[in-house]
Amino acid sequence: MKQNGTTVRTEIMAGITTFMTMAYILAVNPDVHSAFKSGATGVDWTSIFLATAIAAGVMTIAMGLFVNFPVALAPGMGLNAYFATIILSSQGKFTFSKALTAVFIS
């Protein structure tokens, strides 16, 4: 830490700031996917919340440990909106897993 000109306090404050900046995705992402009473994508709110939290946590830790680059990663709202829109407008043409595969590939 001394080599990089930082302190433990600075790093903790940076982590808290980053979390607070990105925490909105934990509430918004599940809401996008369960916009209607029956759930827009057919997946419940809690499952989407946990998937979002786990994906963001694992990828942010990987960026810190393996790439040594201080960047936090979380699902992008553009892809989330795309996914929900495709599921909603497909009228049965796309299954949940096909739409998820399209998002994964993109």
Side-chain angles (χ1 to χ4, degrees):
M1 292 181 113
K2 204 172 203 176
Q3 279 180 321
N4 293 323
T6 187
T7 64
V8 172
R9 182 183 187 283
T10 300
E11 294 301 311
I12 290 173
M13 291 303 293
I16 291 169
T17 302
T18 301
F19 175 78
M20 296 304 289
T21 302
M22 294 178 61
Y24 79 94
I25 191 87
L26 294 174
V28 174
N29 191 28
D31 284 345
V32 166
H33 292 284
S34 51
F36 297 99
K37 188 187 286 185
S38 61
T41 58
V43 180
D44 67 329
W45 194 94
T46 305
S47 297
I48 297 171
F49 176 85
L50 289 174
T52 302
I54 291 168
V58 167
M59 295 315 297
T60 298
I61 290 169
M63 285 295 286
L65 293 176
F66 301 115
V67 183
N68 197 22
F69 195 62
V71 173
L73 298 175
M77 289 310 299
L79 283 179
N80 292 331
Y82 168 77
F83 180 74
T85 303
I86 292 300
I87 293 295
L88 287 175
S89 66
S90 69
Q91 298 175 0
K93 294 177 187 173
F94 289 100
T95 63
F96 178 76
S97 56
K98 282 182 184 177
L100 216 67
T101 302
V103 170
F104 176 76
I105 291 170
S106 71

